[in-house]
Amino acid sequence: MQQPLAGSTFTDVMGAPAWKTLPSWYLVAQQDQAIPPDAERLFAKRMGATTIEVAAGHLAMVSHPDETARLIEAAVAAV
């Protein structure tokens, strides 16, 4: 059963996001209808991510497991 959000959710302060200091990788789903692909590209660019694009919807990691695995392997090899 889902629980309501804690009241602190609206007042807690987050620290600096990790992508500002750590290398990042991003899989853009070109046919995503949940998150616009142009927004995904913007997010990836803002974080300086190594990016690949696949012709897929929102669950690109499920429909394109090989490309996803290669991206993860590239990230592991780089760090």
Side-chain angles (χ1 to χ4, degrees):
M1 184 168 166
Q2 187 171 353
Q3 300 295 313
L5 292 173
S8 64
T9 300
F10 302 105
T11 58
D12 285 347
V13 177
M14 300 281 297
W19 58 260
K20 286 193 173 190
T21 57
L22 298 174
S24 301
W25 288 260
Y26 203 105
L27 176 68
V28 173
Q30 296 171 333
Q31 299 161 354
D32 198 329
Q33 293 184 16
I35 302 171
D38 283 342
E40 294 180 24
R41 291 180 190 102
L42 176 68
F43 302 153
K45 182 178 179 181
R46 181 174 63 184
M47 65 178 71
T50 299
T51 306
I52 65 167
E53 296 200 14
V54 293
H58 190 62
L59 296 176
M61 68 291 296
V62 174
S63 62
H64 289 75
D66 293 337
E67 292 91 332
T68 301
R70 281 194 292 274
L71 183 64
I72 293 168
E73 289 168 347
V76 169
V79 297

